[in-house]
Amino acid sequence: AQSVAQPEDQVNVAEGNPLTVKCTYSVSGNPYLFWYVQYPNRGLQFLLKYITGDNLVKGSYGFEAEFNKSQTSFHLKKPSALVSDSALYFCAVSPSNDYKLSFGAGTTVTVRA
Amino acid sequence: NAGVTQTPKFRVLKTGQSMTLLCAQDMNHEYMYWYRQDPGMGLRLIHYSVGEGTTAKGEVPDGYNVSRLKKQNFLLGLESAAPSQTSVYFCASSGGLNFYEQYFGPGTRLTVT
């Protein structure tokens, strides 16, 4: 069975500073990895995914994530955070032959002006 | 395209009452999912469907039933609501070549008193 760990419940950064949200995973075989964002009282929105190829993937709103197979990690990054990036972020994983996702517990990001 | 829609947005039930949550998608997706979201626990899969007329249990299926009589609709039923089912419920769908990329509805906030 697959699982995802997001070790930080909360991340606080100042606007303009780099933002990192951590994610590690456990899965049999090759992983498909995803980041979703949830704004207050809204559903989850897809940010980016890693399926295969380049370990650095770029997504929506200036976010990127780096797949590290040896460390089984898929950290989300943004070089310069905005106040509007404040939201709840979820990392998710599935085995390459499956369509069901396993989600982490989520990390609340607060960007202060 | 409306994407994934959910009805109702909010509901309050008394213990023992029943209700049905409706999910509809207009993307002709084969796969549909029901999740519940609880603080600190991320999203947990309740039931899912891989096509019209098929359903399967997810991680936390007890107390819920589902039906997929039409490809575009996925219903989640609570036969006898319990306070432990107080949660936010999300429906999602996926399909086509990007079957692993899920699209989420806006959610239903259910309170059982």
Side-chain angles (χ1 to χ4, degrees):
Chain A
Q2 62 264 27
S3 64
V4 175
Q6 293 181 240
E8 300 160 317
D9 292 336
Q10 290 199 338
V11 170
N12 299 308
V13 298
E15 188 172 37
N17 282 2
L19 170 63
T20 298
V21 186
K22 296 179 181 177
C23 171
T24 58
Y25 66 89
S26 172
V27 70
S28 298
N30 294 322
Y32 286 1
L33 294 156
F34 306 83
W35 277 102
Y36 285 83
V37 61
Q38 184 182 29
Y39 298 102
N41 301 313
R42 304 285 296 275
L44 276 68
Q45 296 178 29
F46 172 80
L47 271 182
L48 52 78
K49 66 179 182 285
Y50 171 82
I51 304 300
T52 187
D54 194 348
N55 288 345
L56 184 65
V57 294
K58 296 186 182 298
S60 307
Y61 313 121
F63 284 93
E64 59 188 28
E66 185 166 13
F67 170 61
N68 187 318
K69 187 172 184 177
S70 63
Q71 297 186 4
T72 62
S73 67
F74 190 57
H75 301 330
L76 181 70
K77 301 180 181 182
K78 187 171 185 180
S80 179
L82 301 172
V83 172
S84 57
D85 294 328
S86 299
L88 181 58
Y89 291 80
F90 290 99
C91 182
V93 68
S94 72
S96 58
N97 61 348
D98 200 354
Y99 42 83
K100 299 189 296 296
L101 297 179
S102 293
F103 286 85
T107 299
T108 299
V109 170
T110 302
V111 182
R112 60 186 183 277
Chain B
N1 288 348
V4 180
T5 58
Q6 293 182 231
T7 308
K9 289 185 169 52
F10 304 94
R11 185 72 186 268
V12 178
L13 289 179
K14 295 186 187 299
T15 297
Q17 288 184 320
S18 63
M19 78 163 294
T20 300
L21 282 67
L22 171 63
C23 176
Q25 52 95 5
D26 61 3
M27 295 173 282
N28 201 34
H29 283 167
E30 294 86 1
Y31 306 117
M32 296 187 75
Y33 316 83
W34 275 108
Y35 294 92
R36 60 177 290 172
Q37 182 183 24
D38 302 293
M41 301 188 75
L43 275 75
R44 293 181 291 170
L45 183 64
I46 304 171
H47 285 281
Y48 63 98
S49 169
V50 301
E52 182 178 319
T54 72
T55 63
K57 295 180 180 179
E59 182 184 353
V60 288
D62 293 343
Y64 305 95
N65 57 73
V66 289
S67 64
R68 185 128 181 242
L69 300 179
K70 294 182 179 180
K71 185 177 185 179
Q72 64 268 33
N73 296 337
F74 195 30
L75 279 62
L76 178 71
L78 286 72
E79 291 186 347
S80 179
S84 60
Q85 294 178 304
T86 293
S87 188
V88 181
Y89 292 86
F90 287 101
C91 177
S93 71
S94 67
L97 292 177
N98 292 335
F99 64 89
Y100 40 77
E101 191 172 318
Q102 295 185 15
Y103 295 81
F104 284 80
T108 295
R109 185 173 295 274
L110 175 66
T111 301
V112 183
T113 61

